[in-house]
């Protein structure tokens, strides 16, 4: 029998893309209610931390917590956990896999503990002033957990597999003031849609003419390094039809350097005294993977995060245009093979 509802309507309640939007909307409504329900003075300490979270501290770590934060933060995690459980139920994740709902919640609690610890330590005055904020600490804590001796429990691995979903939710929640878009809107388009294509062409020419790489591999590495990482490599790979080994090598190389430059660019910007908005635009246009962009820019400042997020989102939106241009150019260029992939 034909389905009772169209597929697009069903997808709104079961796909990760839609659920990241629903969770973002629900969380925004929750934050809106908190802001207007909690009394605070305009420029007081509470105004900075009206959403429960660790506050800034210097000597005593317990100074990061007051009664409001100590009680409100666990309640906030409960609200997030309920939304995550609803997503697991609606997407069929619990029924399709052996992992139980209680196991997912145990892993989610561990995730909340790691995030709270990173925020707590990162709010220290020395750490925040020296580029050791919550983003860097979150990565370091994650590396310590994933590389610790022994095997990780199944309930932790189940939640870790949803890392991309949590990144989508965080990007939805990355609220940017309209004033920032007004100040950096057209500059962001120039950086994204002019600077990145110039870097792509330069990388391709360096790879083919100086290092003697075949055209397909050079194009894949250049696209991945200057555009959207693995997403861009996969999109262009479907056009140029390279050997599977070329795609694997391209993704591996880009991923390895992405980890390095997530830290290197942020600390270089701090070291040379680069303006926060310039640093954000630089990071947003050159660091691959949106999650890495946010983490890298967070090392610099909140303003850098906003600018980097705008630049990266504009860059990502041009991936379809990039794929179309590459398709036309690849079909028109002289080729030494008939299957689209050159011999090494």
């Amino acid at each position: 029998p034909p389905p009772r509802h169209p597929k697009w309507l069903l997808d709104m309640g079961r796909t990760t893309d839609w659920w990241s939007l629903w969770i973002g909307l629900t969380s925004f409504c929750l934050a809106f209610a908190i802001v207007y329900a909690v009394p605070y003075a305009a420029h007081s300490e509470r105004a900075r931390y009206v959403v429960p979270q660790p506050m800034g501290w210097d000597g005593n770590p317990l100074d990061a917590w007051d009664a409001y934060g100590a009680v409100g933060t666990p309640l906030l995690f409960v609200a997030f956990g309920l939304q995550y459980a609803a997503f697991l139920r609606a997407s069929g994740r619990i029924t399709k896999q052996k992992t139980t709902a209680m196991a997912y919640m145990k892993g989610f609690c561990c995730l909340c503990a790691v995030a709270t610890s990173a925020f707590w330590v990162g709010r220290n005055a020395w750490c925040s002033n020296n580029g050791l904020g919550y983003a860097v600490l979150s990565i370091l804590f994650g590396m310590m957990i994933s590389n610790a001796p022994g095997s990780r429990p199944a309930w932790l691995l189940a939640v870790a597999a949803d890392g991309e979903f949590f990144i989508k939710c965080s990007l939805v929640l990355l609220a940017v003031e309209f004033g920032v878009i007004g100040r950096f809107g057209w500059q962001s388009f120039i950086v994204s849609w002019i600077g990145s294509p110039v870097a792509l062409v330069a990388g391709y020419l360096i790879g083919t003419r100086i290092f003697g790489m075949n055209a397909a591999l050079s194009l894949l590495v250049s696209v991945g390094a200057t555009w959207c990482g693995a997403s861009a490599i996969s999109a262009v790979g479907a056009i140029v039809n390279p050997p599977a080994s070329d795609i694997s090598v391209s993704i591996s190389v880009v991923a390895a350097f992405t980890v390095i430059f997530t830290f290197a660019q942020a600390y270089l910007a701090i070291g040379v005294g680069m303006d926060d908005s310039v640093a954000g635009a630089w990071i947003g246009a050159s660091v691959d993977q949106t999650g890495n962009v946010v983490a890298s820019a967070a090392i610099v400042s909140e303003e850098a995060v906003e600018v980097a997020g705008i630049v990266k989102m504009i860059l990502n939106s041009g991936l379809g245009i990039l794929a179309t241009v590459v398709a036309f150019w690849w079909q028109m260029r002289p080729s030494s093979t008939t299957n689209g992939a050159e011999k090494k």
Side-chain angles (χ1 to χ4, degrees):
R4 297 176 57 185
H5 303 287
K7 182 179 181 298
W8 64 267
L9 184 61
L10 296 175
D11 288 343
M12 293 177 67
R14 62 189 183 188
T15 63
T16 57
D17 292 335
W18 274 105
W19 264 99
S20 63
L21 298 178
W22 298 134
I23 290 178
L25 177 61
T26 306
S27 301
F28 174 79
C29 294
L30 178 61
F32 185 85
I34 293 175
V35 168
Y36 283 95
V38 176
Y40 59 90
H43 301 286
S44 63
E45 187 74 3
R46 174 57 56 215
R48 295 182 56 194
Y49 305 107
V50 62
V51 175
Q53 59 186 289
M55 299 184 295
W57 59 280
D58 191 1
N60 186 0
L62 296 180
D63 291 339
W65 300 99
D66 57 4
Y68 177 80
V71 175
T73 300
L75 293 178
L76 193 63
F77 286 145
V78 170
F80 288 148
L82 292 175
Q83 296 180 73
Y84 182 48
F87 156 71
L88 294 172
R89 181 70 177 178
S91 61
R93 193 76 57 85
I94 297 176
T95 57
K96 294 178 181 178
Q97 299 182 6
K98 297 180 180 180
T99 308
T100 63
M102 189 57 64
Y104 271 107
M105 289 301 101
K106 187 187 298 185
F108 183 76
C109 290
C110 180
L111 179 66
C112 293
V114 173
T116 303
S117 301
F119 261 96
W120 191 354
V121 178
R123 287 287 163 82
N124 175 261
W126 184 90
C127 290
S128 60
N129 292 333
N130 290 274
L132 197 62
Y134 68 88
V136 177
L137 293 171
S138 298
I139 295 174
L140 294 178
F141 290 166
M143 293 174 64
M144 291 169 59
I145 295 173
S146 61
N147 292 283
S151 60
R152 255 51 63 190
W155 50 264
L156 182 59
L157 295 177
V159 176
D162 287 331
E164 184 178 353
F165 171 69
F166 291 126
I167 292 176
K168 290 179 180 179
C169 294
S170 64
L171 292 175
V172 174
L173 290 170
L174 183 62
V176 178
E177 296 180 3
F178 290 107
V180 176
I181 299 177
R183 282 185 288 139
F184 303 108
W186 66 269
Q187 295 96 326
S188 301
F189 278 95
I190 292 178
V191 172
S192 301
W193 287 1
I194 296 181
S196 294
V198 170
L200 192 160
V201 173
Y204 173 78
L205 294 176
I206 291 173
T208 54
R209 299 189 180 185
I210 297 180
F211 295 112
M213 299 168 61
N214 71 69
L217 180 59
S218 180
L219 180 62
L220 290 175
V221 174
S222 300
V223 166
T226 59
W227 218 272
C228 306
S231 300
I233 292 174
S234 300
V236 174
I239 297 171
V240 302
N241 190 27
S245 59
D246 284 0
I247 295 182
S248 300
V249 169
S250 302
I251 293 177
S252 300
V253 169
V254 171
F257 279 96
T258 296
V259 175
I260 297 173
F261 284 105
T262 296
F263 297 97
Q265 289 191 216
Y267 287 116
L268 179 60
I270 295 175
V272 301
M274 188 179 298
D275 182 78
D276 289 353
S277 60
V278 176
W282 180 41
I283 292 172
S286 53
V287 174
D288 296 311
Q289 307 298 337
T290 308
N292 293 79
V293 168
V294 175
S296 180
I299 300 175
V300 181
S301 69
E302 292 298 326
E303 181 182 1
V305 172
E306 294 180 342
V307 177
I310 293 173
V311 172
K312 187 61 178 177
M313 291 176 187
I314 293 174
L315 184 63
N316 290 345
S317 67
L319 181 58
I321 300 175
L322 170 70
T324 303
V325 173
V326 169
F328 276 106
W329 170 76
W330 191 259
Q331 295 299 322
M332 295 175 63
R333 62 182 288 275
S335 178
S336 58
T337 61
T338 59
N339 63 355
E342 294 185 353
K343 297 180 180 180
K344 292 185 175 69

